[in-house]
Amino acid sequence: MNAIKATGLRRSYGDTEVLKGVDLTVARGTVFSLLGANGAGKTTTVKILSTLIRADGGSASVAGHDVAADPDAVRAAIGVTGQFSAVDNLMTGRENLKLMADLHHLGKADGRRRAEQLLEQFDLLDAADRSASTYSGGMRRRLDLAMTLVGSPQVIFLDEPTTGLDPRSRRAMWQIVRELVASGVTIFLTTQYLEEADELADRIAVLDQGRVVAEGTADELKRRIPGGHVLLQFTDPRHLESAQRLVGDASRDGLALRVPSDGSVGALKALLDRLDDNAVPVDSLSMHTPDLDDVFLALTGNPDKVAQR
Ligand code: ATP
């Protein structure tokens, strides 16, 4: 069962077509990450899926409800935490959560129970009675997400959840996201940190100039682009030349030889055996496998590349 299904989403602002037919499928209980450069249309997509704005064309359903025909049902099933937090600085953490419980008509006892449970789950009990204005960035993000969870949403839109957080707070947030997904929630994540998508996302879509230009698991996307290589370092230029003759398809970079490789152990062993059999000594080696940064740079912002696919 899909948590989100979008087909041919289109949206223009004035004469500018921002989304040019976006298709997305997100399975229930998974993390789906939408990547794209600034202005690619990520926020516009999230706004359509969370019923904040309407699409000009195409259709979408979230948690089984059509966003255009039944926006209230969609809103009841989703949570949205954005770059602009819903936290009220004048209130304490506990008061913020209780206010959300009131807004969701949870009732006094249920509301109190839910607030306490979330304070504990998000490691905010010690700070629960301090005004939110005294919270660190990481605590504020945790409170913001906790507030989203008061309504027990099935689908959560997380817009750049760790921007500006230190590495420890970022990891704490990742752990929270993993626990949410393990409990069956679906996460739609937009992020500037490709490492974050790599860590968390089951599937990733790359949005470029209003279209999805690639979609798959992080590994599938990495395999789509060239760039993996072994870097062999030499101190003696004669050894470098011998190695280059042996390997053939390699480029020189000073006293280093860059040999294209799929990064597999078998390929590395074959390369080293060949050098060894021919008594060519190598001083050191390093492996480079493409990361999501390489994927992103290869796939976005270059109209020629997009046109080739
Ligand atoms: P970022 O990473 O910078 O948040 P994004 O991928 O989320 O970017 P969007 O915010 O969806 O991109 O914007 C896509 C394009 O639509 C941009 O060129 C933006 O200027 C334009 N745009 C967004 N909202 C409006 C609006 N209300 N009126 C006019 N143009 C808009």
Side-chain angles (χ1 to χ4, degrees), residues 227-234 240 250-261 268 271-272 275 282-289:
H229 62 262
V230 178
L231 200 64
L232 302 171
Q233 197 73 46
F234 299 88
L240 177 111
S251 54
R252 284 167 73 151
D253 182 1
L255 275 178
L257 200 58
R258 213 178 145 108
V259 187
S261 168
L268 181 62
L271 173 64
L272 294 180
L275 294 167
V282 181
D283 284 287
S284 66
L285 72 82
S286 56
M287 299 276 302
H288 177 86
T289 46

Side-chain angles (χ1 to χ4, degrees), residues 147-306:
M147 287 164 67
T148 304
L149 292 180
V150 169
S152 304
Q154 299 168 43
V155 179
I156 298 177
F157 293 91
L158 274 184
D159 191 11
E160 304 197 7
T162 64
T163 298
L165 296 191
D166 67 43
R168 191 182 300 278
S169 306
R170 174 171 301 164
R171 271 162 209 287
M173 195 56 131
W174 290 351
Q175 190 52 33
I176 287 171
V177 170
R178 289 194 191 98
E179 284 163 15
L180 284 174
V181 173
S183 74
V185 170
T186 306
I187 306 270
F188 192 97
L189 171 78
T190 63
T191 179
Q192 302 283 350
Y193 301 115
L194 305 189
E195 184 201 357
E196 183 159 280
D198 208 353
E199 279 282 331
L200 293 178
D202 296 292
R203 293 188 78 76
I204 296 168
V206 182
L207 196 60
D208 190 45
Q209 301 178 23
R211 292 182 211 280
V212 174
V213 294
E215 209 245 312
T217 65
D219 283 343
E220 282 167 0
L221 293 181
K222 287 176 201 168
R223 274 203 294 274
R224 281 186 55 163
I225 60 152
H229 62 262
V230 178
L231 200 64
L232 302 171
Q233 197 73 46
F234 299 88
T235 43
D236 186 334
R238 285 170 305 172
H239 294 150
L240 177 111
E241 274 156 27
S242 310
Q244 188 165 21
R245 271 195 302 276
L246 275 176
V247 182
D249 179 23
S251 54
R252 284 167 73 151
D253 182 1
L255 275 178
L257 200 58
R258 213 178 145 108
V259 187
S261 168
D262 62 6
S264 68
V265 174
L268 181 62
K269 185 169 182 308
L271 173 64
L272 294 180
D273 284 350
R274 193 143 171 221
L275 294 167
D276 201 34
D277 292 349
N278 289 276
V280 179
V282 181
D283 284 287
S284 66
L285 72 82
S286 56
M287 299 276 302
H288 177 86
T289 46
D291 57 22
L292 273 186
D293 282 333
D294 297 319
V295 174
F296 189 77
L297 292 170
L299 292 179
T300 64
N302 183 343
D304 294 341
K305 281 228 155 123
V306 175

Side-chain angles (χ1 to χ4, degrees), residues 13 16 18 36-45 47 83 160 192 207:
Y13 287 109
T16 315
V18 175
N38 294 133
K42 302 181 296 293
T43 306
T44 305
T45 306
K47 281 186 176 167
Q83 295 166 55
E160 304 197 7
Q192 302 283 350
L207 196 60

